[in-house]
Amino acid sequence: MALSCLRGQQSNVIIRVISENELHVVIPLGRSLPMHATADGKVLLSTLSDEEIGQWLTPEPEKLTGNTLGLTALLKQMQAIRRDGVAMDIEEHSPGVSAISILLPTFMGPHAVTVIAPTSRFEVRKEEFRQALEKFREDFKQTQK
């Protein structure tokens, strides 16, 4: 699990929790990840207009895996991401790694809370991860009142 925010024109992991499972994914703290190919990056990009996203990314962002989206496909996803505040990355950044992220508006700007897992575990539990993240967001909103 990771908490990330925008830093410049990249997402930046600022806090992480490492799973106790034998097989787990570890994102280095402070590492900037490509926004077009990660769940946290996509949910953070959703706070921008399509025009701003086009200015931040190249017309053909780097294809990191066979699942990495191009700009046109990414912009098509933005409507649902903006509506739901949820983004997924199914092996778009790294083969064998998938993630789901929620947008968490804070007084310090938008943040993303992300569950990252090996794809084999993620596929079986993605709805459970989504429900847990949405409950966290609702609980967080209650503390902000």
Side-chain angles (χ1 to χ4, degrees), residues 89-108:
D89 151 21
I90 310 298
E91 298 185 343
E92 293 174 43
H93 176 259
S94 299
V97 177
S98 295
I100 184 169
S101 186
I102 59 162
L103 183 63
L104 192 65
T106 74
F107 71 92
M108 294 176 57

Side-chain angles (χ1 to χ4, degrees), residues 60-124:
E60 286 302 319
E62 182 181 2
K63 192 142 179 79
L64 302 169
T65 73
N67 290 352
T68 305
L69 301 178
L71 184 58
T72 303
L74 177 65
L75 292 176
K76 285 181 183 175
Q77 273 192 359
M78 282 298 129
Q79 184 177 10
I81 295 170
R82 289 178 182 121
R83 181 190 65 231
D84 301 335
V86 176
M88 282 196 236
D89 151 21
I90 310 298
E91 298 185 343
E92 293 174 43
H93 176 259
S94 299
V97 177
S98 295
I100 184 169
S101 186
I102 59 162
L103 183 63
L104 192 65
T106 74
F107 71 92
M108 294 176 57
H111 286 69
V113 179
T114 308
V115 174
I116 308 142
T119 301
S120 58
R121 184 177 317 125
F122 184 85
E123 287 297 327
V124 175

